[in-house]
Amino acid sequence: MKIRHKLISGFIGISLLTAVVGGVAISQQFQISQKLAIKESQQVAETIANFLTSTHKYKSDETGNFVFYQDSEEVQSFTEKLHNLQKRDIVVVDIKKHILADAVPENIGTTFDHDRNNEVSKTIQDGVSRYFIEKSRDYPQGIKLVAIPLKLEEKQIVGAIILEYTPIYQEALAAAQSTTIAIAITSLTCIILALVLGSLISQSIANPLQVVTDIAQKATKNSDFELQIAVTTNDEIGILANSFNELIQRVKELIQEKEQRADELIKANKKLQSTQKQMIAQEKLASLGSLTAGIAHEIRNPLNFINNFAELSVDLTQELLDEIESHKQAIEPEFAEEITAIISDLQINSSKIDFHGKRAENIVSNMLMHSRGGERSWQGTNLNNLLQETLNLAYHGMRAKDVSFNVALQTEYDQTIGEISVVIQDINRAFLNIISNACYAVCQKQKEISPDFSPLVKVSTKNLGEKVEIRIFDNGSGIPPEILDKIFEHFFTTKPTGEGTGLGLSLSYEIIVQQHQGELKVESDVGSFTQFIIYLPKK
């Protein structure tokens, strides 16, 4: 049960108690009125008894009982005077219920038999006054009577006096009516006042408590610790509201401290994991680098002989062809033609050996660069300038291979970036690999589609506060979704044989992600574009 209901129930209980007390008081008024009527009737009976005693208007029968009076007319006259004075019926009977005196003279000498339950005889026998209602020819509606024992000075019961006590009772009630009304009005006023006060007090207590309860439930359910209770009083409820507000504020502070500590732990854990991964990667790269460097060096020595002798063979075959041409007249034509064909084939084979040898040398050089160990120098550099130099270098590199190559270069640099801390030679290598791939993609698309295609390479930067964003976009043929996840793997390439080693993007990924703790993402739509997105921390 809520406090408001308890308070209202308590005041309703007080109201009911007040009503009960009022009812009891009114009932007491009725009982007092009744007792007054009986007392007055007893006084009348005593008056008649004193009259009989003082005038000795009685005698006894053969058994010694007082059964009738001497000079009954005087008794009757006395009774009639009392009747006229008090305006009520008076009857005097002996022990056998014979009427000795009556306000109605015709009833004298008859037997009183209007008591249905023989109340008069019982009163004569035990001396206890009794009430009853008489219904007779004289009183068809019935009147209230009281039978009072008639005692003489010897305290012996000689009969009974029957009196109508309704008038006296009504007079007493009329006298007590004002008191009864006052009690009733007072009780009703107390009930109404108790109910009104109960409602007001319950509202003044229950409503603020309900507000506190609602705020507490909302704060708990929604974890909203910004809620506060409006304090409008300085009583106990106001103190409770202040205490609750302080409690919510303290809980909020504790939660914030907990979240802050949790964030710090998460950051420390991420940093630890990143450091751990970096150390593992460095160990792996160091091991792989040592192995790769050893293999590359072992390959490079015989490869140098192959390349040198292949190049020398090409030159020697050319010199031999020149000699044959100069002595062509001294040689039989068929033999000269056959020798020339063989030497030409030998020259072609030597050229292919030279071409693929140089390609192998290029791969070995990349492997050595990939496995290069030792510390790098971190320096503050202007990222925009570095990107612009790399973009120019990649463009002119493509132009050196294909003089017909041309591309629109667009740049959008954020000048608020300032300097960032990087290993210049490594990050420049990563940028160069990605931009060179972009130039290669648009060049190939132009060759495949038509000369009307307009190649575009766009480089942009953006300041993101603690880090910078670099976007390298080209409108080339794009990367198919099925190989998009493989482009950063070692030795994976989509270029034709002889045009790519498969180490450029893998090296770029390691430089950006592992070495510089950045991010490298790629977006592509086949036939439309490819965009590399790079995030680098400023420090």
Side-chain angles (χ1 to χ4, degrees), residues 39-326:
K39 186 68 175 176
E40 193 275 339
S41 300
Q42 289 175 346
Q43 290 175 354
V44 172
E46 291 175 359
T47 301
I48 295 174
N50 291 334
F51 172 76
L52 294 176
T53 302
S54 62
T55 57
H56 302 285
K57 303 296 182 180
Y58 56 86
K59 66 177 183 178
S60 59
D61 58 7
E62 296 80 359
T63 61
N65 294 322
F66 298 92
V67 293
F68 62 91
Y69 297 95
Q70 299 176 359
D71 195 4
S72 59
E73 292 181 357
E74 187 175 356
V75 177
Q76 175 66 24
S77 175
F78 182 76
T79 303
E80 290 179 355
K81 288 179 181 179
L82 285 176
H83 170 71
N84 294 330
L85 179 64
Q86 296 189 353
K87 304 299 182 183
R88 62 178 177 172
D89 193 13
I90 301 175
V91 180
V92 181
V93 299
D94 60 11
I95 58 176
K96 295 183 178 179
K97 297 175 60 176
H98 294 152
I99 297 176
L100 303 179
D102 193 338
V104 182
E106 292 81 2
N107 294 333
I108 298 174
T110 61
T111 300
F112 186 87
D113 57 358
H114 302 309
D115 51 342
R116 296 181 180 180
N117 298 318
N118 205 17
E119 285 88 357
V120 176
S121 297
K122 294 178 181 178
T123 297
I124 293 172
Q125 291 175 3
D126 57 19
V128 178
S129 301
R130 285 178 173 81
Y131 307 93
F132 62 95
I133 297 177
E134 175 191 355
K135 286 187 179 181
S136 63
R137 180 184 61 186
D138 297 330
Y139 305 105
Q141 300 299 325
I143 59 173
K144 293 181 179 180
L145 301 176
V146 57
I148 302 171
L150 178 60
K151 300 178 182 179
L152 299 181
E153 55 187 5
E154 293 86 355
K155 302 302 180 181
Q156 185 175 3
I157 297 174
V158 296
I161 299 175
I162 303 168
L163 297 171
E164 179 187 0
Y165 78 95
T166 301
I168 297 299
Y169 180 57
Q170 291 176 347
E171 290 176 5
L173 288 178
Q177 184 176 8
S178 59
T179 304
T180 303
I181 293 174
I183 292 174
I185 293 175
T186 302
S187 299
L188 183 61
T189 302
C190 290
I191 292 172
I192 295 174
L193 185 61
L195 292 175
V196 172
L197 288 177
S199 178
L200 293 177
I201 293 175
S202 65
Q203 288 181 1
S204 65
I205 295 176
N207 288 349
L209 289 178
Q210 186 63 43
V211 172
V212 174
T213 303
D214 293 341
I215 295 296
Q217 290 177 344
K218 288 181 180 178
T220 304
K221 183 178 180 180
N222 302 327
S223 297
D224 184 4
F225 298 101
E226 298 292 338
L227 297 174
Q228 291 287 296
I229 300 173
V231 181
T232 57
T233 60
N234 295 323
D235 54 9
E236 289 81 358
I237 295 178
I239 295 173
L240 175 63
N242 275 324
S243 300
F244 184 79
N245 289 338
E246 292 176 359
L247 176 62
I248 287 184
Q249 186 65 29
R250 182 55 182 160
V251 170
K252 178 183 175 182
E253 293 174 357
L254 290 175
I255 290 176
Q256 289 177 346
E257 292 177 2
K258 181 181 177 181
E259 291 177 349
Q260 184 177 0
R261 291 177 182 175
D263 291 339
E264 292 175 355
L265 288 174
I266 291 173
K267 290 180 181 178
N269 187 43
K270 286 183 177 179
K271 186 176 181 180
L272 180 61
Q273 291 178 349
S274 176
T275 304
Q276 184 180 14
K277 290 180 180 178
Q278 188 175 5
M279 292 177 64
I280 293 173
Q282 287 177 350
E283 290 294 329
K284 290 181 177 179
L285 288 175
S287 300
L288 180 61
S290 299
L291 178 62
T292 304
I295 296 173
H297 279 294
E298 292 298 325
I299 293 176
R300 171 169 281 187
N301 290 330
L303 186 60
N304 286 335
F305 284 102
I306 293 173
N307 290 336
N308 292 334
F309 283 108
E311 187 175 356
L312 182 59
S313 296
V314 172
D315 294 338
L316 289 176
T317 53
Q318 184 61 43
E319 290 178 4
L320 184 58
L321 287 175
D322 293 339
E323 288 295 328
I324 292 173
E325 184 66 27
S326 62

